[in-house]
C-alpha cells in the first residue's frame, strides 16, 4: 500500500481548517493537561492552591516511601495478572470449542458476546448483587457449603469479586479475537495432522496453540491495559477500593488522592508513573504489530 | 469438523452450554430481581423465577418514584442524557477523524506528519493519567455539568483517524484524477466519493464508539455534579450508595436492565459491524 498519494488537492488553508477541530481538542484536553500533570508532579501546593513551591523529585521520593502506594502496586499486579490469565484461558477454552461446532455456532456466539455491551459500572453492580452478604444468592449458596462470604471484611473475597466481574466483562472481547484467530488457521494443516494420527488434544498443543500465539500475546497486552485502566468503574461500584485499601488499584488511588484527599502533587506524580506504564505497554503492543506484518 | 468423535461433540456442547449459562446467569438474575418486591428479595435465598412486579418496578425507576434510601433521580432523564452523550461522542469522533484523515492523506501542508503523530500519540494519554488537569481545563472553560463537558474532551480519536487514513490510502488514485478532470473541488470529492466509500468503516466505528460513549464512567463522575446531568451508568452507582440493607435492589436492577438494553441491542442487531469494528480498531 502506498504511504503517499501521488495526486493531491492544492489549497493553502483548507487542510488547516479540516484538522483544526481535532488539533484543538488534543491540544486543550490531552497535551496541555498532560504537561500540567508533569509540571505539578515537581511542585507542592497547599489545599487552597494559594502557594506553589518547587520541590523537584520530592513527590516521587514520597511515593517510593509511601507504603500504601507500594501496596497499591502489588494490588494492581495481582489484579491484572489474575484478570489477564483467567480471562484469556476461559475465552480460549470457549473459542476452541465454539470453533468445533458446525451447527449453532452463531447461537453460542450471540449469547457469549453481549457482556461486552454492559457498562463496567453496571457489571460491578450485577456482581455485587449476586455476592452481597445480605441478599446475594451466590453468597447464600456459598454459606450453604460452609464458606462465609463477606467481601466487605475479607480482602481475598473482595479481590475475587472484582476479578470475576472484570473477567466476565472482558470474556466476549477475548472470545471474538480467539475465534477469528482459530478460523484463520488453514484446515489442511489440521487435517494432515489428523491423517497422521494426532488426536484433538495433541493437535491443539502442537499446531493450534503455537499458531495462535500472536493472538494470545496481543490479548495479553490488551487485557493488562484493560485491567490497569478500564476497570476503575468496576472497582468503584463493587468495592470502592475496600476493605481498607485492599482493592485500590493504581488508577483508583490517583482518583482518590487527587479528588477526595486533594493531594495534587502526589496525585500528579502518580499520573506521571501511570503515563510511563501506558507508554511502555503501547510500545510493546506496536513492536508486536510490526512483527505480525513480517510473518 | 475434521473427524467424527461423538464423545467429543457431546463434550463440546456441554462446555459451551456451561459457558453460556455462567455468562448469562448475572443477566438472568438481574432480570429476575427487577420483577420482585423488595421484601421478596430480602428473604434468603431470593426467588429464582420472575415475579409479578415487573411493570411497577420499571415505572418506579423510570419516574424516580421508588422508596429507597439512595438517589431517586428519574431514570427517564438519565437515559436521555446517556443517549445524547453517546450519540455526540460516536458521531463527533467519526466526523472529526474523517476530516483530519482527509486532510492528512489528500493535501500537502507544513507539519503534516507532525499533526499525524500528535494525534497518534494521544493513544498513550488515556483520561486516567491526566484526570486532575483535564478536569481543571474543563472547569475553566465553564463546561462542568454540560453536554459539551461530557463529550468534547472524549471526541478526539487516534484509532478512528488512523483507521480512516489507512482506508483512504487504499482508494484508487484514478478517482481523484477523474474528479479533478470533472472540475470537482476537494469538498465535493470528499462528500460524493470518499464518504460513500467509507460507509462500512463508519458503521463499524459507530457501534464501537456508541458503546464506548454510553459506558463512560470516570469522566462523567468528575464533570457532573447536578442530578439532571447524570448519565444512567452514574445514576446506578448513586442508587446503591444508600447502604446494603435499605437498598431497593428491585428498582436498582430494573435500572440496570434499562441501562444495558440500548448498547446490547446495538451489539446484537449490528453484530457484523460490531465484530468488524472491534477488529479494525485494534490494528
Amino acid at each position: 500500500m502506498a504511504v503517499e498519494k501521488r495526486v493531491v488537492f492544492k489549497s493553502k488553508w483548507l487542510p488547516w481548517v479540516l484538522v483544526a477541530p481535532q488539533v484543538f481538542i488534543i491540544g486543550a484536553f490531552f497535551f496541555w493537561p498532560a504537561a500540567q500533570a508533569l509540571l505539578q508532579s515537581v511542585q507542592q501546593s497547599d489545599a487552597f492552591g494559594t502557594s506553589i513551591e518547587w520541590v523537584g523529585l520530592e513527590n516521587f521520593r514520597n511515593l517510593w516511601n509511601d507504603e500504601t502506594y507500594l501496596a497499591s502496586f502489588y494490588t494492581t499486579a495481582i489484579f491484572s495478572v489474575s484478570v489477564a490469565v483467567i480471562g484469556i484461558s476461559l475465552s480460549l477454552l470457549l473459542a476452541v470449542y465454539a470453533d468445533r461446532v458446525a451447527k449453532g455456532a452463531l447461537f453460542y456466539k450471540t449469547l457469549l458476546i453481549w457482556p461486552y455491551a454492559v457498562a463496567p459500572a453496571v457489571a460491578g453492580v450485577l456482581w455485587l448483587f449476586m455476592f452481597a452478604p445480605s441478599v446475594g444468592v451466590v453468597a447464600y449458596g456459598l454459606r450453604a457449603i460452609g464458606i462465609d462470604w463477606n467481601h466487605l471484611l475479607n480482602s481475598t473475597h473482595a479481590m475475587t469479586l472484582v476479578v470475576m466481574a472484570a473477567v466476565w466483562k472482558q470474556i466476549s472481547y477475548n472470545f471474538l479475537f480467539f475465534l477469528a484467530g482459530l478460523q484463520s488457521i488453514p484446515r489442511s494443516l489440521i487435517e494432515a495432522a489428523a491423517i497422521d494420527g494426532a488426536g484433538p488434544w495433541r493437535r491443539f498443543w502442537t499446531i493450534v496453540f503455537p499458531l495462535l500465539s500472536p493472538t494470545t500475546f496481543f490479548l495479553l497486552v490488551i487485557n493488562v491495559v484493560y485491567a490497569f485502566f478500564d476497570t476503575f468503574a468496576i472497582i468503584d461500584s463493587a468495592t470502592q477500593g475496600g476493605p481498607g485499601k485492599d482493592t485500590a488499584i493504581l488508577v483508583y488511588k490517583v482518583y482518590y488522592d487527587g479528588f477526595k484527599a486533594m493531594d495534587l502533587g502526589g496525585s500528579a506524580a502518580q499520573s506521571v508513573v501511570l503515563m510511563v506504564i501506558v507508554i511502555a505497554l503501547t510500545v510493546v503492543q506496536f513492536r508486536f504489530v510490526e512483527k505480525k506484518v513480517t510473518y | 469438523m475434521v473427524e467424527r468423535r461423538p464423545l467429543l461433540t457431546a463434550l463440546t456442547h456441554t462446555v459451551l452450554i456451561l459457558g453460556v449459562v455462567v455468562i448469562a446467569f448475572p443477566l438472568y438474575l438481574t432480570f429476575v430481581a427487577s420483577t420482585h418486591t423488595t421484601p421478596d428479595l430480602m428473604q434468603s435465598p431470593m426467588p429464582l423465577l420472575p415475579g409479578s412486579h415487573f411493570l411497577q418496578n420499571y415505572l418506579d425507576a423510570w419516574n424516580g418514584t421508588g422508596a429507597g434510601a439512595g438517589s431517586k433521580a428519574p431514570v427517564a432523564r438519565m437515559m436521555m442524557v446517556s443517549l445524547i452523550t453517546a450519540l455526540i461522542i460516536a458521531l463527533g469522533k467519526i466526523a472529526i477523524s474523517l476530516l483530519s484523515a482527509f486532510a492528512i492523506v489528500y493535501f500537502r501542508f507544513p507539519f503534516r506528519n507532525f499533526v499525524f503523530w500528535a494525534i497518534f500519540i494521544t493513544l498513550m494519554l488515556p483520561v486516567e493519567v491526566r484526570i486532575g488537569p483535564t478536569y481543571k481545563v474543563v472547569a475553566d472553560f465553564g463546561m462542568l455539568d454540560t453536554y459539551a463537558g461530557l463529550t468534547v474532551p472524549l471526541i478526539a480519536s487516534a484509532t478512528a483517524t488512523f483507521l480512516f487514513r489507512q482506508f483512504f490510502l487504499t482508494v484508487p488514485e484514478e478517482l481523484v484524477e477523474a474528479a479533478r478532470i470533472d472540475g470537482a473541488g476537494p469538498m465535493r470529492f470528499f462528500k460524493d466519493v470518499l464518504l460513500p466509500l467509507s460507509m462500512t468503516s463508519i458503521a463499524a466505528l459507530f457501534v464501537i464508539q456508541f458503546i464506548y460513549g454510553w459506558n463512560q464512567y470516570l469522566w462523567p463522575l468528575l464533570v457532573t455534579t447536578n442530578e439532571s446531568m447524570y448519565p444512567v451508568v452514574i445514576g446506578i452507582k448513586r442508587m446503591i450508595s444508600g447502604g446494603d440493607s435499605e437498598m431497593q435492589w428491585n428498582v436498582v436492577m430494573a435500572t440496570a436492565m434499562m441501562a444495558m438494553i440500548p448498547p446490547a441491542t446495538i451489539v446484537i442487531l449490528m453484530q457484523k459491524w460490531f465484530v468488524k469494528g472491534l477488529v479494525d480498531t485494534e490494528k
Side-chain angles (χ1 to χ4, degrees), chain B residues 14-26:
Chain B
T14 316
V15 168
L16 285 173
I17 289 168
L18 214 63
V20 167
V21 168
V22 171
I23 298 271
F25 184 67

Side-chain angles (χ1 to χ4, degrees), chain A residues 100 102-103 187 190-191 194-195 198-200 203, chain B residues 1-13:
Chain A
R100 275 187 54 85
K103 278 191 198 119
R187 284 285 133 175
I190 314 276
E191 280 158 12
I195 292 166
R203 288 203 300 268
Chain B
M1 217 177 302
V2 182
E3 75 250 278
R4 197 171 287 281
R5 282 177 188 251
L7 218 65
L8 191 60
T9 307
L11 177 70
T12 303
H13 286 282

Side-chain angles (χ1 to χ4, degrees), chain A:
Chain A
M1 186 169 56
V3 189
E4 296 276 299
K5 286 278 179 199
R6 225 166 5 86
V7 191
V8 292
F9 292 106
K10 286 192 180 59
S11 170
K12 281 243 178 312
W13 56 271
L14 188 58
W16 291 106
V17 175
L18 292 172
V19 295
Q22 179 111 305
V23 166
F24 168 74
I25 290 170
I26 63 172
F29 300 109
F30 286 76
F31 288 106
W32 170 254
Q36 289 291 305
L38 281 174
L39 195 67
Q40 282 170 7
S41 70
V42 293
Q43 292 174 339
Q44 191 64 261
S45 64
D46 59 34
F48 309 103
T50 43
S51 72
I52 291 171
E53 193 190 337
W54 284 88
V55 293
L57 294 178
E58 200 187 303
N59 286 324
F60 292 96
R61 258 196 301 275
N62 289 343
L63 278 187
W64 275 164
N65 296 326
D66 180 0
E67 265 174 42
T68 61
Y69 188 66
L70 298 181
S72 172
F73 247 104
Y74 178 71
T75 307
T76 313
I78 302 263
F79 176 70
S80 42
V81 169
S82 316
V83 169
V85 170
I86 299 174
I88 287 179
S89 323
L90 285 181
S91 37
L92 178 59
L93 179 79
L94 289 174
V96 167
Y97 281 112
D99 187 43
R100 275 187 54 85
V101 188
K103 278 191 198 119
L106 189 70
F107 166 77
Y108 288 124
K109 206 169 130 186
T110 309
L111 282 174
L112 287 172
I113 63 172
W114 77 290
Y116 182 87
V118 179
V122 176
V125 174
L126 259 53
W127 283 80
L128 177 67
F129 175 64
M130 290 197 295
F131 285 89
S134 61
V135 293
V137 67
V138 181
Y140 174 85
L142 287 172
R143 256 198 307 279
I145 57 166
I147 301 170
D148 190 17
W149 179 274
N150 193 337
H151 63 261
L152 301 172
L153 299 173
N154 183 321
S155 58
T156 314
H157 291 175
M159 180 56 94
T160 313
L161 176 66
V162 286
V163 167
M164 285 189 297
V167 166
W168 178 77
K169 167 88 189 80
Q170 188 68 354
I171 245 178
S172 12
Y173 184 95
N174 297 341
F175 172 78
L176 282 174
F177 274 86
F178 272 133
L179 195 62
L182 285 165
Q183 283 166 352
S184 71
I185 294 176
R187 284 285 133 175
S188 52
L189 278 179
I190 314 276
E191 280 158 12
I195 292 166
D196 287 349
W201 181 254
R202 177 119 186 249
R203 288 203 300 268
F204 176 76
W205 288 110
T206 54
I207 301 174
V208 176
F209 190 69
L211 284 174
L212 271 184
S213 63
T215 313
T216 313
F217 183 69
F218 162 80
L219 286 175
L220 201 61
V221 178
I222 293 286
N223 276 271
V224 170
V225 173
Y226 161 77
F228 260 75
F229 297 101
D230 297 335
T231 49
F232 172 85
I234 293 179
I235 290 178
D236 193 38
S237 58
T239 64
Q240 281 98 50
K245 292 265 172 280
D246 290 339
T247 51
I249 58 169
L250 290 169
V251 169
Y252 196 86
K253 197 167 156 54
V254 173
Y255 164 77
Y256 189 86
D257 289 356
F259 284 83
K260 302 270 156 148
M262 293 313 257
D263 171 17
L264 283 182
S267 175
Q270 293 180 33
S271 293
V272 172
V273 173
L274 278 177
M275 232 181 265
V276 172
I277 296 174
V278 199
I279 292 173
L281 285 170
T282 318
V283 169
V284 169
Q285 186 185 338
F286 278 89
R287 294 277 316 251
F288 151 74
V289 170
E290 268 167 37
K291 256 200 213 139
K292 191 171 72 177
V293 174
T294 55
Y295 263 12

Side-chain angles (χ1 to χ4, degrees), chain B residues 176-192:
Chain B
V176 191
E177 284 166 4
R180 283 178 58 171
I181 292 168
D182 289 348
M187 289 325 282
R188 183 78 194 273
F189 172 74
F190 177 73
K191 184 167 85 54
D192 289 344

Side-chain angles (χ1 to χ4, degrees), chain B residues 198-278:
Chain B
S198 315
M199 272 309 163
T200 344
S201 303
I202 292 177
L205 267 176
F206 177 80
V207 180
I208 299 295
Q209 306 295 8
F210 181 86
I211 294 169
Y212 165 87
W214 184 278
N215 290 351
Q216 279 302 310
Y217 182 77
L218 176 57
W219 186 244
L221 189 65
L222 298 178
V223 298
T224 57
T225 49
N226 188 337
E227 226 167 49
S228 68
M229 286 307 288
Y230 286 159
V232 64
V233 170
I234 302 285
I236 291 179
K237 173 66 198 347
R238 300 271 162 169
M239 283 183 176
I240 62 165
S241 42
D244 191 26
S245 51
E246 320 101 286
M247 224 182 303
Q248 276 209 305
W249 276 111
N250 51 347
V251 179
V252 174
M253 288 299 146
T255 312
M257 285 304 290
M258 290 192 274
M260 284 190 282
I261 286 167
T265 315
I266 289 209
V267 164
I268 287 168
L269 291 186
M270 299 177 73
Q271 195 178 127
K272 200 176 101 201
W273 303 131
F274 165 66
V275 175
K276 180 175 158 46
L278 216 54

